[in-house]
Each structure stands twice: as structure tokens, then as C-alpha cells.
Amino acid sequence: LPPGTYLNTYGAKGESKKDDNLSVHMYAGGNAIADEVISANASSTNSANLSKTILYNATADGTTISLYNTSGESVNLTGANITAMRIV
């Protein structure tokens, strides 16, 4: 991303091999963004839909944003997405 302020929406749908939390954390430039983790209960038979919208300030040119599985186990994520809309 070029420097600026962005409205970032991110999320995913997924299943867990056991009844447990499904968690996704947003990263910027390879570092976790504080408090930008979303979690929900999921199992192999019940998927969870995760989504969140945040205001993010990219201070360095070329900042890369990404999502990481922070569930503590292998999960099946489908439809993982990030939308970044520059507002300033």
C-alpha cells in the first residue's frame, strides 16, 4: 500500500478439525497489528464466518497487509479476503 489512511475489511470462512476456535490475525509488513485478531468457534461440521473492519494508517510506502491463521492448529480457510479502501 502507498502511505495513507485506509478502511480495511478482512475475513475468512473456515472449519476446524476439532471443536475449537478459528482465529485469523491481520499483519502489516510482516508484523501482527495489535488487537486485530478475529475468532469464532468452528468444527469439522460447523464452519465459522469471520469478518472485521478497521481503520489502518500505512506509514511506509509498499506496506504489505496479510492474514495469518493463529488458531494454534491446522484449519481449512476458504474465501479469505482483504479489501483496502484509501480514505486519506
Side-chain angles (χ1 to χ4, degrees):
L1 300 172
T5 302
Y6 293 83
L7 193 61
N8 287 352
T9 299
Y10 65 101
K13 179 179 178 179
E15 295 89 26
S16 176
K17 292 181 181 178
K18 60 181 183 175
D19 293 341
D20 207 353
N21 275 343
L22 178 70
S23 298
V24 174
H25 201 130
M26 181 174 259
Y27 279 59
N31 299 304
I33 301 174
D35 300 322
E36 298 311 338
V37 62
I38 45 179
S39 301
N41 287 327
S43 70
S44 59
T45 57
N46 293 311
S47 63
N49 288 306
L50 308 171
S51 67
K52 186 174 183 180
T53 300
I54 65 167
L55 198 58
Y56 176 72
N57 185 28
T59 57
D61 191 25
T63 298
T64 302
I65 53 175
S66 54
L67 297 178
Y68 285 84
N69 169 28
T70 54
S71 303
E73 67 175 86
S74 178
V75 296
N76 180 28
L77 293 177
T78 57
N81 63 82
I82 302 172
T83 302
M85 181 175 58
R86 188 173 182 178
I87 57 175
V88 177

